[in-house]
Amino acid sequence: MTLSPPWKTGLALALTMAFSYIVCALLYRQWPAQGIDFLNALFHGLDFHKLASPAPFTLAVFLYPLVVLALWGFVVGTVFAWLHTLLHGRR
């Protein structure tokens, strides 16, 4: 089995995280109260209502986390693939 270069795994994770964030942000923009309720359920009842902000949902508020998540996904995916190859070797 030939493994792909680590950066390709990084790119796949970065694109997956970016896509997931875009979907999540669009749903939250449409239904903010239900989005917070979903987070509360996802995190075992931790109350996210206290973090709700009356600030408008601007392009900058959308883009900054998108870039951060995509970059983080690329780095984590690349390091993961590199370590996987290092530990398992190329076959």
Side-chain angles (χ1 to χ4, degrees):
M1 174 180 163
T2 305
L3 298 173
S4 63
W7 69 266
K8 287 187 177 184
T9 302
L11 182 60
L13 183 59
L15 291 173
T16 301
M17 290 178 73
F19 177 75
S20 299
Y21 174 75
I22 290 168
V23 170
C24 182
L26 290 174
L27 290 172
Y28 179 76
R29 181 156 184 343
Q30 195 67 24
W31 300 287
Q34 290 83 357
I36 291 175
D37 290 340
F38 177 74
L39 277 177
N40 289 345
L42 188 64
F43 287 93
H44 308 286
L46 188 63
D47 189 6
F48 283 89
H49 289 100
K50 297 173 183 174
L51 299 176
S53 172
F57 191 78
T58 63
L59 187 59
V61 168
F62 170 76
L63 288 178
Y64 182 68
L66 176 64
V67 170
V68 168
L69 284 171
L71 287 174
W72 183 247
F74 180 78
V75 170
V76 169
T78 301
V79 170
F80 170 82
W82 175 76
L83 285 172
H84 184 272
T85 302
L86 183 71
L87 294 172
H88 295 279
R90 291 198 180 265
R91 294 186 175 120

